[in-house]
């Protein structure tokens, strides 16, 4: 019988647990209990410290660089948690919001050596849960028994590690006619991944010929720009300009990918905005939060295009990385169509950073 969740479903449960502040157990050679720093409560921290051993706060090398903490594990740093640690101490390490007010957070006792595969998987879990990439980790001797006693989700690390790095398959759910201002012959397609993550959308304008390169745009969701008309970015004007151009040509495909804030989620994007108000540019803000410049996966767009029968596109973008990713994913890009719109006094520095640090052709 197949009622029990498979590893993909277990990981989806683990993400949900971490978002709610519930610990997760990762089993393997060195089994551990994991808690997300962002959702940590005082009682659970007290209980964790009472278990004995040496709990560590695992953060990314990007965040460690800001804190002047030693990332002995390359992409990670493991900071030993003091016995008198409070949730405020943990969250001050994870969240850069008060870095300028209280810049001296160390010195830190950073660990080196040993197996960090569980720590790496735990940080990735937090990232994909759209939480700050910082987790409390403590080795457990009888992890399976402990998980059963406390009714915790128990995930096999050996199975979870490759699953976390794989792109989840996308499946078409439904599509229906959607008359729009730019075209009365629009159609909206919904795609759902197996891993319980966000759904993605394809807006089909007109009836594009699958045998010819279609005018296409990979547009990452931007609640602030697309819906609220934010002047801090150029996303809203790009969305509307792309749809308008497709309407003028009579056909096109706009892929609306739910990868808000370059893949870090809306809450972390707002944290980045707050850091930008303190004087950091968009890339620096992401790094201080513990993220890379861009955490998006544009291969999702290639998956959707293929499933809809498209193999060649004219790509509306200023981002060469999108072109490269499409080509590597087997989608022919016959033309890069520039989309330079929406600059104003509020986002001119942001656009300059995109050009200087992310290679955008503006």
């Amino acid at each position: 019988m197949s009622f029990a969740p498979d590893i993909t479903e277990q990981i989806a449960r683990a993400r949900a647990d971490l978002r709610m502040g519930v610990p997760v157990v990762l089993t393997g050679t060195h089994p551990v209990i994991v808690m997300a720093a962002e959702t940590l409560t005082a009682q659970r921290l007290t209980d964790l410290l009472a278990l004995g051993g040496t709990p560590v706060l695992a953060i990314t090398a990007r965040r460690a660089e800001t804190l002047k903490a030693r990332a002995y594990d390359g992409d990670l740093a493991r900071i030993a948690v003091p016995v008198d640690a409070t949730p405020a101490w943990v969250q001050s390490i994870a969240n850069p919001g008060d870095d300028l007010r209280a810049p001296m957070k160390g010195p830190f006792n950073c660990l080196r050596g040993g197996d960090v595969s569980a720590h790496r998987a735990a940080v990735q879990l937090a990232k994909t849960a759209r939480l700050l990439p910082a987790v409390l980790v403590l080795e457990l001797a009888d992890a399976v028994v402990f998980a059963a006693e406390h009714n915790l989700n128990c995930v096999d690390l050996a199975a979870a590690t490759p699953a976390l790095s794989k792109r989840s398959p996308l499946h078409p759910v439904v599509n229906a006619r959607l008359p729009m201002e730019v075209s009365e012959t629009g159609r909206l397609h919904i795609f759902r991944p197996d891993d319980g993550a966000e759904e993605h959308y394809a807006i089909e304008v007109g009836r594009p010929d699958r045998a010819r390169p279609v005018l296409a745009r990979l547009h990452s969701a931007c609640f602030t720009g697309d819906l609220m008309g934010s002047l801090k970015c150029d996303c809203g004007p790009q969305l509307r300009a792309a749809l308008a151009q497709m309407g003028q040509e009579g056909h096109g495909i706009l892929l609306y990918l739910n990868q808000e804030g370059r893949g870090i989620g809306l809450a972390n994007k707002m944290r980045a905005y707050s850091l930008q108000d303190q004087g950091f540019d968009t890339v620096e803000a992401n790094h201080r939060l513990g993220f890379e410049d861009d955490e998006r996966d544009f291969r999702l767009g290639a998956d959707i295009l293929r499933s809809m029968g498209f193999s060649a596109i004219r790509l509306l973008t200023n981002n060469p990385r999108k072109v490269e990713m499409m080509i590597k994913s087997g989608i022919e890009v016959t033309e890069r169509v520039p989309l330079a719109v929406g600059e104003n006094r509020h986002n001119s520095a942001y656009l300059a950073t995109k050009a200087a640090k992310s290679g955008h052709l503006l």
Side-chain angles (χ1 to χ4, degrees):
M1 300 179 77
S2 57
F3 293 117
D6 62 20
I7 189 60
T8 299
E9 293 158 341
Q10 283 185 295
I11 289 172
R13 282 186 180 183
R15 291 192 189 103
D17 284 347
L18 291 178
R19 285 180 64 86
M20 293 186 293
V22 178
V24 172
V25 170
L26 300 179
T27 63
T29 307
H30 302 285
V32 298
I33 182 172
V34 174
M35 299 182 190
E38 182 176 338
T39 53
L40 181 68
T41 64
Q43 186 58 59
R44 284 200 166 113
L45 176 57
T46 297
D47 294 342
L48 181 73
L49 293 171
L51 292 175
T54 306
V56 302
L57 180 58
I59 59 175
T60 66
R62 289 294 191 189
R63 180 64 182 141
E65 183 180 7
T66 294
L67 296 169
K68 303 297 187 288
R70 297 282 189 178
Y72 291 121
D73 304 316
D75 58 336
L76 296 175
R78 288 172 292 155
I79 300 173
V81 177
V83 294
D84 60 347
T86 64
W89 180 87
V90 171
Q91 287 158 5
S92 73
I93 305 304
N95 191 337
D98 73 340
D99 279 0
L100 294 188
R101 183 182 61 81
M104 300 302 294
K105 299 184 188 296
F108 301 109
N109 176 17
C110 295
L111 307 186
R112 65 195 309 169
D115 185 359
V116 296
S117 54
H119 304 74
R120 186 168 287 118
V123 168
Q124 184 62 19
L125 269 175
K127 272 190 178 185
T128 56
R130 303 294 183 253
L131 297 170
L132 288 166
V135 288
L136 281 168
V137 181
L138 175 66
E139 286 198 19
L140 289 175
D142 299 312
V144 176
V145 173
F146 183 90
E149 288 176 347
H150 296 277
N151 197 26
L152 298 179
N153 188 4
C154 196
V155 181
D156 177 61
L157 180 62
T161 299
L164 280 167
S165 62
K166 275 199 311 188
R167 186 167 76 261
S168 179
L170 287 168
H171 304 287
V173 178
V174 65
N175 69 83
R177 191 173 67 88
L178 181 69
M180 298 178 292
E181 290 181 0
V182 299
S183 173
E184 294 187 3
T185 56
R187 199 163 193 86
L188 178 61
H189 302 252
I190 308 298
F191 291 83
R192 182 177 295 158
D194 283 344
D195 63 0
E198 300 93 341
E199 294 171 346
H200 304 283
Y201 319 128
I203 297 92
E204 187 172 8
V205 176
R207 295 179 176 81
D209 184 351
R210 267 62 173 171
R212 302 181 61 187
V214 63
L215 183 64
R217 164 117 181 117
L218 277 68
H219 190 89
S220 297
C222 179
F223 171 82
T224 50
D226 298 342
L227 188 61
M228 305 305 296
S230 169
L231 298 176
K232 284 179 68 69
C233 65
D234 55 345
C235 303
Q238 284 190 326
L239 173 65
R240 290 182 284 277
L243 284 171
Q245 188 163 341
M246 292 173 189
Q248 290 166 6
E249 295 199 10
H251 58 82
I253 293 290
L254 188 138
L255 305 182
Y256 198 87
L257 305 177
N258 274 309
Q259 302 189 108
E260 181 86 40
R262 297 187 179 182
I264 66 177
L266 184 57
N268 287 319
K269 173 181 167 179
M270 289 299 97
R271 290 184 174 112
Y273 272 20
S274 181
L275 292 172
Q276 289 169 36
D277 289 341
Q278 295 178 29
F280 301 103
D281 68 33
T282 182
V283 171
E284 292 166 345
N286 268 29
H287 290 178
R288 294 186 80 87
L289 286 164
F291 295 103
E292 295 302 317
D293 303 21
D294 195 334
E295 299 271 352
R296 291 174 292 181
D297 187 350
F298 295 120
R299 295 174 300 175
L300 297 169
D303 293 344
I304 293 174
L305 287 166
R306 264 194 305 274
S307 74
M308 294 181 69
F310 296 102
S311 59
I313 59 175
R314 298 165 52 226
L315 188 58
L316 274 161
T317 187
N318 303 320
N319 186 354
R321 182 169 168 253
K322 289 183 181 179
V323 176
E324 294 167 9
M325 190 65 74
M326 289 299 98
I327 294 171
K328 287 180 181 177
S329 299
I331 299 294
E332 181 185 0
V333 180
T334 62
E335 179 186 3
R336 184 189 72 84
V337 183
L339 191 61
V341 294
E343 182 171 358
N344 61 70
R345 64 186 180 87
H346 296 280
N347 66 19
S348 57
Y350 162 78
L351 295 177
T353 298
K354 286 211 297 187
K357 294 189 175 182
S358 302
H360 287 225
L361 305 172
L362 300 176

Short mmCIF file of all heavy atoms in Angstrom, two decimals, residues 29-72:
data_model
loop_
_atom_site.label_atom_id
_atom_site.label_comp_id
_atom_site.label_asym_id
_atom_site.label_seq_id
_atom_site.Cartn_x
_atom_site.Cartn_y
_atom_site.Cartn_z
N THR A 29 23.84 9.27 9.15
CA THR A 29 25.03 8.92 9.94
C THR A 29 25.14 9.77 11.20
O THR A 29 25.51 9.29 12.27
CB THR A 29 26.30 9.10 9.08
OG1 THR A 29 26.14 8.37 7.84
CG2 THR A 29 27.52 8.57 9.81
N HIS A 30 24.81 11.06 11.04
CA HIS A 30 24.83 11.98 12.18
C HIS A 30 23.46 12.65 12.27
O HIS A 30 23.28 13.78 11.80
CB HIS A 30 25.93 13.03 12.01
CG HIS A 30 27.30 12.45 11.87
ND1 HIS A 30 28.00 11.93 12.95
CD2 HIS A 30 28.10 12.28 10.79
CE1 HIS A 30 29.17 11.48 12.52
NE2 HIS A 30 29.26 11.68 11.22
N PRO A 31 22.47 11.97 12.84
CA PRO A 31 21.11 12.52 12.88
C PRO A 31 21.04 13.79 13.72
O PRO A 31 21.77 13.95 14.70
CB PRO A 31 20.29 11.39 13.51
CG PRO A 31 21.28 10.57 14.27
CD PRO A 31 22.56 10.66 13.52
N VAL A 32 20.14 14.70 13.32
CA VAL A 32 20.04 15.99 13.99
C VAL A 32 18.58 16.42 14.13
O VAL A 32 17.71 15.95 13.39
CB VAL A 32 20.80 17.09 13.21
CG1 VAL A 32 22.29 16.78 13.11
CG2 VAL A 32 20.20 17.29 11.81
N ILE A 33 18.35 17.33 15.07
CA ILE A 33 17.09 18.05 15.15
C ILE A 33 17.35 19.45 14.63
O ILE A 33 18.41 20.04 14.88
CB ILE A 33 16.54 18.08 16.60
CG1 ILE A 33 15.18 18.81 16.63
CG2 ILE A 33 17.52 18.71 17.57
CD1 ILE A 33 14.48 18.72 17.98
N VAL A 34 16.39 19.98 13.86
CA VAL A 34 16.56 21.26 13.17
C VAL A 34 15.40 22.20 13.53
O VAL A 34 14.25 21.78 13.55
CB VAL A 34 16.59 21.06 11.64
CG1 VAL A 34 16.62 22.40 10.91
CG2 VAL A 34 17.77 20.19 11.22
N MET A 35 15.73 23.47 13.78
CA MET A 35 14.73 24.51 13.97
C MET A 35 15.12 25.72 13.13
O MET A 35 16.30 26.07 13.04
CB MET A 35 14.65 24.94 15.44
CG MET A 35 14.25 23.85 16.41
SD MET A 35 14.14 24.54 18.08
CE MET A 35 13.96 23.04 19.06
N ALA A 36 14.14 26.36 12.54
CA ALA A 36 14.41 27.59 11.78
C ALA A 36 14.61 28.75 12.75
O ALA A 36 13.82 28.94 13.67
CB ALA A 36 13.25 27.89 10.84
N ALA A 37 15.67 29.52 12.54
CA ALA A 37 15.95 30.65 13.43
C ALA A 37 14.82 31.67 13.42
O ALA A 37 14.46 32.22 14.46
CB ALA A 37 17.27 31.32 13.01
N GLU A 38 14.23 31.89 12.25
CA GLU A 38 13.22 32.93 12.12
C GLU A 38 11.97 32.65 12.95
O GLU A 38 11.34 33.57 13.48
CB GLU A 38 12.84 33.11 10.65
CG GLU A 38 11.82 34.19 10.41
CD GLU A 38 11.53 34.42 8.94
OE1 GLU A 38 12.38 34.07 8.09
OE2 GLU A 38 10.46 34.97 8.64
N THR A 39 11.58 31.38 13.08
CA THR A 39 10.34 31.03 13.77
C THR A 39 10.59 30.42 15.15
O THR A 39 9.70 29.81 15.73
CB THR A 39 9.52 30.06 12.90
OG1 THR A 39 10.34 28.93 12.54
CG2 THR A 39 9.01 30.75 11.64
N LEU A 40 11.79 30.58 15.66
CA LEU A 40 12.16 30.01 16.95
C LEU A 40 11.38 30.68 18.08
O LEU A 40 11.22 31.90 18.10
CB LEU A 40 13.66 30.20 17.17
CG LEU A 40 14.25 29.65 18.47
CD1 LEU A 40 14.22 28.14 18.48
CD2 LEU A 40 15.68 30.16 18.65
N THR A 41 10.92 29.87 19.05
CA THR A 41 10.27 30.40 20.25
C THR A 41 11.19 30.21 21.46
O THR A 41 12.08 29.35 21.45
CB THR A 41 8.94 29.69 20.53
OG1 THR A 41 9.20 28.30 20.82
CG2 THR A 41 7.99 29.81 19.34
N ALA A 42 10.93 30.99 22.49
CA ALA A 42 11.74 30.91 23.70
C ALA A 42 11.66 29.52 24.33
O ALA A 42 12.67 28.97 24.77
CB ALA A 42 11.31 31.98 24.70
N GLN A 43 10.45 28.95 24.38
CA GLN A 43 10.29 27.65 25.02
C GLN A 43 11.04 26.56 24.26
O GLN A 43 11.71 25.72 24.87
CB GLN A 43 8.81 27.28 25.12
CG GLN A 43 8.54 25.99 25.90
CD GLN A 43 9.09 26.05 27.31
OE1 GLN A 43 8.70 26.91 28.09
NE2 GLN A 43 9.99 25.15 27.66
N ARG A 44 10.96 26.58 22.94
CA ARG A 44 11.65 25.53 22.17
C ARG A 44 13.16 25.70 22.24
O ARG A 44 13.89 24.72 22.21
CB ARG A 44 11.14 25.51 20.73
CG ARG A 44 9.74 24.86 20.63
CD ARG A 44 9.44 24.40 19.23
NE ARG A 44 8.28 23.50 19.22
CZ ARG A 44 7.11 23.79 18.65
NH1 ARG A 44 6.94 24.96 18.05
NH2 ARG A 44 6.12 22.92 18.67
N LEU A 45 13.64 26.92 22.32
CA LEU A 45 15.08 27.12 22.49
C LEU A 45 15.53 26.59 23.86
O LEU A 45 16.56 25.91 23.96
CB LEU A 45 15.45 28.59 22.35
CG LEU A 45 16.92 28.94 22.59
CD1 LEU A 45 17.84 28.16 21.65
CD2 LEU A 45 17.17 30.44 22.45
N THR A 46 14.76 26.87 24.89
CA THR A 46 15.07 26.35 26.22
C THR A 46 15.10 24.83 26.21
O THR A 46 16.02 24.20 26.77
CB THR A 46 14.02 26.84 27.25
OG1 THR A 46 14.08 28.27 27.32
CG2 THR A 46 14.28 26.25 28.63
N ASP A 47 14.12 24.23 25.56
CA ASP A 47 14.06 22.76 25.48
C ASP A 47 15.24 22.20 24.70
O ASP A 47 15.79 21.15 25.06
CB ASP A 47 12.75 22.32 24.84
CG ASP A 47 11.53 22.65 25.70
OD1 ASP A 47 11.72 22.91 26.90
OD2 ASP A 47 10.40 22.66 25.16
N LEU A 48 15.64 22.90 23.64
CA LEU A 48 16.77 22.43 22.83
C LEU A 48 18.06 22.47 23.67
O LEU A 48 18.84 21.50 23.66
CB LEU A 48 16.92 23.30 21.59
CG LEU A 48 18.06 22.90 20.63
CD1 LEU A 48 17.69 21.64 19.87
CD2 LEU A 48 18.38 24.03 19.66
N LEU A 49 18.29 23.57 24.36
CA LEU A 49 19.50 23.69 25.17
C LEU A 49 19.52 22.67 26.29
O LEU A 49 20.60 22.21 26.72
CB LEU A 49 19.60 25.11 25.74
CG LEU A 49 19.82 26.23 24.71
CD1 LEU A 49 19.67 27.59 25.35
CD2 LEU A 49 21.18 26.10 24.03
N ALA A 50 18.33 22.27 26.77
CA ALA A 50 18.25 21.29 27.86
C ALA A 50 18.61 19.88 27.41
O ALA A 50 18.88 19.00 28.23
CB ALA A 50 16.84 21.30 28.46
N LEU A 51 18.66 19.64 26.08
CA LEU A 51 18.99 18.30 25.57
C LEU A 51 20.47 17.99 25.72
O LEU A 51 20.89 16.84 25.57
CB LEU A 51 18.58 18.19 24.10
CG LEU A 51 17.08 18.21 23.80
CD1 LEU A 51 16.84 18.22 22.29
CD2 LEU A 51 16.37 17.04 24.45
N GLY A 52 21.28 19.02 26.01
CA GLY A 52 22.72 18.80 26.11
C GLY A 52 23.37 18.85 24.73
O GLY A 52 22.73 19.15 23.72
N GLY A 53 24.65 18.55 24.68
CA GLY A 53 25.37 18.63 23.42
C GLY A 53 25.68 20.07 23.06
O GLY A 53 25.54 20.99 23.88
N THR A 54 26.11 20.27 21.83
CA THR A 54 26.48 21.60 21.36
C THR A 54 25.63 22.01 20.18
O THR A 54 25.92 21.67 19.03
CB THR A 54 27.97 21.65 20.95
OG1 THR A 54 28.78 21.18 22.02
CG2 THR A 54 28.38 23.07 20.57
N PRO A 55 24.53 22.72 20.42
CA PRO A 55 23.74 23.20 19.29
C PRO A 55 24.51 24.26 18.52
O PRO A 55 25.31 25.02 19.11
CB PRO A 55 22.49 23.78 19.94
CG PRO A 55 22.86 24.07 21.34
CD PRO A 55 23.96 23.12 21.72
N VAL A 56 24.32 24.30 17.22
CA VAL A 56 24.98 25.31 16.40
C VAL A 56 23.95 26.05 15.58
O VAL A 56 22.86 25.53 15.27
CB VAL A 56 26.04 24.69 15.45
CG1 VAL A 56 27.10 23.94 16.24
CG2 VAL A 56 25.40 23.79 14.41
N LEU A 57 24.29 27.28 15.25
CA LEU A 57 23.48 28.06 14.33
C LEU A 57 24.18 28.04 12.99
O LEU A 57 25.29 28.58 12.85
CB LEU A 57 23.33 29.50 14.84
CG LEU A 57 22.49 30.45 13.98
CD1 LEU A 57 21.08 29.92 13.78
CD2 LEU A 57 22.46 31.84 14.59
N ALA A 58 23.59 27.37 12.02
CA ALA A 58 24.18 27.26 10.69
C ALA A 58 23.66 28.40 9.82
O ALA A 58 22.44 28.60 9.70
CB ALA A 58 23.83 25.91 10.06
N ILE A 59 24.57 29.16 9.24
CA ILE A 59 24.22 30.27 8.36
C ILE A 59 25.01 30.14 7.06
O ILE A 59 25.99 29.41 7.00
CB ILE A 59 24.51 31.64 9.02
CG1 ILE A 59 26.00 31.74 9.40
CG2 ILE A 59 23.63 31.85 10.26
CD1 ILE A 59 26.41 33.10 9.94
N THR A 60 24.59 30.85 6.03
CA THR A 60 25.30 30.78 4.76
C THR A 60 26.59 31.59 4.84
O THR A 60 26.75 32.48 5.68
CB THR A 60 24.44 31.34 3.61
OG1 THR A 60 24.25 32.75 3.82
CG2 THR A 60 23.10 30.64 3.53
N ALA A 61 27.49 31.30 3.92
CA ALA A 61 28.76 32.04 3.87
C ALA A 61 28.51 33.51 3.58
O ALA A 61 29.28 34.38 4.03
CB ALA A 61 29.67 31.43 2.80
N ARG A 62 27.44 33.82 2.82
CA ARG A 62 27.11 35.22 2.53
C ARG A 62 26.81 35.98 3.82
O ARG A 62 27.31 37.08 4.04
CB ARG A 62 25.91 35.30 1.59
CG ARG A 62 26.18 34.86 0.17
CD ARG A 62 27.16 35.78 -0.53
NE ARG A 62 27.21 35.51 -1.96
CZ ARG A 62 28.10 36.04 -2.78
NH1 ARG A 62 29.03 36.85 -2.32
NH2 ARG A 62 28.09 35.76 -4.07
N ARG A 63 25.99 35.38 4.69
CA ARG A 63 25.66 36.03 5.95
C ARG A 63 26.89 36.06 6.87
O ARG A 63 27.13 37.05 7.57
CB ARG A 63 24.50 35.30 6.63
CG ARG A 63 24.07 35.89 7.97
CD ARG A 63 23.51 37.28 7.84
NE ARG A 63 23.15 37.86 9.13
CZ ARG A 63 23.35 39.14 9.46
NH1 ARG A 63 23.90 39.97 8.59
NH2 ARG A 63 22.98 39.59 10.64
N ALA A 64 27.67 34.99 6.85
CA ALA A 64 28.86 34.92 7.68
C ALA A 64 29.85 36.02 7.33
O ALA A 64 30.51 36.59 8.20
CB ALA A 64 29.52 33.55 7.53
N GLU A 65 29.96 36.34 6.04
CA GLU A 65 30.88 37.39 5.60
C GLU A 65 30.51 38.73 6.24
O GLU A 65 31.38 39.49 6.69
CB GLU A 65 30.84 37.50 4.08
CG GLU A 65 31.81 38.51 3.49
CD GLU A 65 31.73 38.56 1.98
OE1 GLU A 65 30.84 37.91 1.39
OE2 GLU A 65 32.57 39.28 1.38
N THR A 66 29.22 39.01 6.29
CA THR A 66 28.75 40.25 6.92
C THR A 66 29.11 40.29 8.39
O THR A 66 29.49 41.33 8.94
CB THR A 66 27.22 40.38 6.75
OG1 THR A 66 26.92 40.56 5.37
CG2 THR A 66 26.68 41.56 7.53
N LEU A 67 28.98 39.13 9.07
CA LEU A 67 29.19 39.05 10.51
C LEU A 67 30.65 38.88 10.90
O LEU A 67 30.97 38.82 12.08
CB LEU A 67 28.37 37.88 11.08
CG LEU A 67 26.85 37.99 10.96
CD1 LEU A 67 26.20 36.65 11.29
CD2 LEU A 67 26.32 39.09 11.87
N LYS A 68 31.54 38.74 9.90
CA LYS A 68 32.95 38.44 10.14
C LYS A 68 33.09 37.10 10.90
O LYS A 68 33.96 36.95 11.76
CB LYS A 68 33.62 39.56 10.94
CG LYS A 68 33.53 40.92 10.27
CD LYS A 68 34.25 40.95 8.93
CE LYS A 68 34.31 42.35 8.33
NZ LYS A 68 33.01 42.83 7.84
N ALA A 69 32.20 36.16 10.55
CA ALA A 69 32.28 34.81 11.13
C ALA A 69 32.99 33.90 10.14
O ALA A 69 32.86 34.07 8.91
CB ALA A 69 30.87 34.28 11.42
N ARG A 70 33.73 32.94 10.63
CA ARG A 70 34.52 32.05 9.77
C ARG A 70 33.64 30.97 9.15
O ARG A 70 33.04 30.16 9.84
CB ARG A 70 35.62 31.38 10.59
CG ARG A 70 36.62 32.35 11.19
CD ARG A 70 37.61 32.81 10.14
NE ARG A 70 38.70 33.58 10.73
CZ ARG A 70 39.71 34.07 10.04
NH1 ARG A 70 39.78 33.84 8.74
NH2 ARG A 70 40.66 34.78 10.63
N ALA A 71 33.59 30.97 7.81
CA ALA A 71 32.84 29.94 7.09
C ALA A 71 33.79 28.80 6.75
O ALA A 71 34.20 28.61 5.60
CB ALA A 71 32.21 30.53 5.83
N TYR A 72 34.13 28.01 7.76
CA TYR A 72 35.09 26.92 7.56
C TYR A 72 34.56 25.83 6.64
O TYR A 72 35.33 25.04 6.10
CB TYR A 72 35.45 26.30 8.91
CG TYR A 72 36.28 27.19 9.81
CD1 TYR A 72 35.81 27.57 11.07
CD2 TYR A 72 37.53 27.66 9.41
CE1 TYR A 72 36.57 28.38 11.90
CE2 TYR A 72 38.29 28.48 10.23
CZ TYR A 72 37.80 28.83 11.48
OH TYR A 72 38.55 29.64 12.30
#
